[in-house]
Amino acid sequence: MSKKIGVLKMVLIVLLIFLVAASASFARGSRQNTFTIYTWAEMFPQEILDEFERESGFRINYINFDYGEVMLNRLQASNGSGYDLIIVDDYILERVIQLGLTQRLDRSQLSNYGNINPIYLNQFYDPQNLYTVPYGAGVQTIVYDPSRVSIPITGYADLWHPSLRNQVGIIGNYRVINGMALKVLGRSYNTNNLEEIRAAGDLLLELAPNIRLIKDDRLEADLLSGEISVAVMYTSQVTNAMLENPNLRVVFPTEGIGFGIMAGFIPSGAAHPEVAHQFMNFLMDPRRGAAAFEYLGYYSTYSGSDPYISPIFRPFLTLPQGFNYDMEMIQNVNEASDEEHSRIWTRFRAATGN
């Protein structure tokens, strides 16, 4: 009897060892066949992600951040590993490249690279186009409901008008909003003059009574619902709002506007750089690029996709014809200036109650 039990125990031990080994092998295989994208939420149509999974054989692990600074901190902490493809704003890209947290692109793996609109190449963050592929661009604009606003709005300075008390919503990007005040004062977004930055901060405090909301997520919904009457929004939000209510009015501020590009890069420690190249090339296919830009609502950075964009979207996916306002890209400032911007932003938010 004891002999039988001994044989049975041996069989169970062997079976257990086999199951553990098989489980470990499966886990390794799962990790090896997982492609990790790190960017904001809702950046791709689901059908494009599903199609890429079928075509590549890799499961997409889609991780999100709210702010580029959060991404940068995590990427630095991991020494450039843990992610295969990251899409983020231009000024963050400059820091990523300076810190050596990127891999050079292999253009031989990007057969659709020629579809990129040249105006989005050779930018300050990657002047030789060695590390990044653009995936959308836009400007910060004012949108308002003329049925709820008693004054004409032509620029940022109008947002300070007393009639707009508790009616204005703004995005939560401190450089954009602080920069808005700098523009009203006739200064650059990228000034390192602390006195100019402080003067903009003082001006922002005067705007505080007019601010009802500060939020990045779906600010356009608050404009459409009537929660706010005026908003300073990202291009994607403007597109969504105008498609929903064509009676809204879009204002390109007369003081000048901030222009930005977001782009993808392969981190230095990416486990699957070849799949990252494949995914970027996949997105740059003209038809897929058109579907992505219609979904995003940002300006189309792939001119090869423009003919495939639906007519209803075309007015919103590029700057208006004859556009001649001054534009300036928001870039990194020195440490002292950035600290002053942060201090101003904290004080301003407190004053608005947000």
Side-chain angles (χ1 to χ4, degrees), residues 118-163:
I119 70 172
Y120 299 109
L121 296 173
N122 307 108
Q123 297 294 333
F124 73 93
Y125 55 87
D126 188 10
Q128 294 179 287
N129 308 307
L130 298 176
Y131 304 99
T132 62
V133 170
Y135 183 64
V139 296
Q140 296 84 40
T141 48
I142 300 170
V143 184
Y144 72 99
D145 185 341
S147 69
R148 296 170 57 87
V149 173
S150 60
I151 62 167
I153 296 177
T154 61
Y156 289 130
D158 296 318
L159 302 180
W160 272 256
H161 196 275
S163 67

Side-chain angles (χ1 to χ4, degrees), residues 55-70:
E55 184 174 298
S56 68
F58 276 74
R59 182 182 68 84
I60 292 175
N61 178 29
Y62 188 5
I63 304 175
N64 306 138
F65 55 78
D66 290 324
Y67 300 102
E69 290 81 3
V70 172

Side-chain angles (χ1 to χ4, degrees), residues 6 20 27 40 69 156 211 229 235 243 252 293 296:
V20 170
W40 299 280
E69 290 81 3
Y156 289 130
I211 301 300
S229 303
T235 293
L243 288 171
F252 295 94
F293 293 126
L296 275 172

Side-chain angles (χ1 to χ4, degrees), residues 34-37 75 78-86 100-104 265-277 280:
T34 298
F35 172 61
T36 300
I37 302 173
L75 190 63
S78 68
N79 292 315
S81 64
Y83 315 104
D84 295 307
L85 178 69
I86 297 175
L101 295 171
T102 59
Q103 295 187 28
R104 282 198 177 201
F265 71 94
I266 304 172
S268 56
H272 303 293
E274 72 289 346
V275 186
H277 281 90
M280 287 191 285

Side-chain angles (χ1 to χ4, degrees), residues 56-261:
S56 68
F58 276 74
R59 182 182 68 84
I60 292 175
N61 178 29
Y62 188 5
I63 304 175
N64 306 138
F65 55 78
D66 290 324
Y67 300 102
E69 290 81 3
V70 172
M71 179 284 298
L72 181 57
N73 289 337
R74 290 179 180 170
L75 190 63
Q76 285 183 272
S78 68
N79 292 315
S81 64
Y83 315 104
D84 295 307
L85 178 69
I86 297 175
I87 299 176
V88 73
D89 282 327
D90 39 29
Y91 69 100
I92 298 290
L93 290 167
E94 183 180 45
R95 293 288 296 130
V96 168
I97 293 170
Q98 289 171 346
L99 292 167
L101 295 171
T102 59
Q103 295 187 28
R104 282 198 177 201
L105 297 174
D106 179 358
R107 294 277 188 85
S108 69
Q109 298 184 56
L110 299 174
S111 59
N112 291 323
Y113 192 86
N115 288 329
I116 299 173
N117 188 326
I119 70 172
Y120 299 109
L121 296 173
N122 307 108
Q123 297 294 333
F124 73 93
Y125 55 87
D126 188 10
Q128 294 179 287
N129 308 307
L130 298 176
Y131 304 99
T132 62
V133 170
Y135 183 64
V139 296
Q140 296 84 40
T141 48
I142 300 170
V143 184
Y144 72 99
D145 185 341
S147 69
R148 296 170 57 87
V149 173
S150 60
I151 62 167
I153 296 177
T154 61
Y156 289 130
D158 296 318
L159 302 180
W160 272 256
H161 196 275
S163 67
L164 298 179
R165 186 179 182 88
N166 203 35
Q167 293 189 57
V168 179
I170 56 175
I171 51 179
N173 186 308
Y174 73 98
R175 285 293 308 282
V176 171
I177 303 304
N178 293 2
M180 180 176 75
L182 283 166
K183 283 296 182 186
V184 171
L185 294 173
R187 308 304 182 192
S188 166
Y189 282 112
N190 304 309
T191 180
N192 282 303
N193 184 312
L194 295 181
E195 290 304 314
E196 292 179 353
I197 296 172
R198 289 174 188 136
D202 293 339
L203 184 61
L204 274 182
L205 285 181
E206 298 175 20
L207 178 66
N210 289 5
I211 301 300
R212 184 175 184 85
L213 293 173
I214 301 177
K215 57 184 289 192
D216 270 357
D217 186 38
R218 290 191 52 75
L219 183 60
E220 72 275 20
D222 298 289
L223 180 64
L224 291 165
S225 71
E227 178 72 13
I228 54 177
S229 303
V230 188
V232 177
M233 296 196 292
Y234 298 118
T235 293
S236 59
Q237 296 168 332
V238 175
T239 301
N240 292 337
M242 294 303 296
L243 288 171
E244 183 75 19
N245 181 1
N247 293 320
L248 297 174
R249 292 184 185 168
V250 178
V251 176
F252 295 94
T254 53
E255 298 93 344
I257 53 178
F259 171 69
I261 300 171

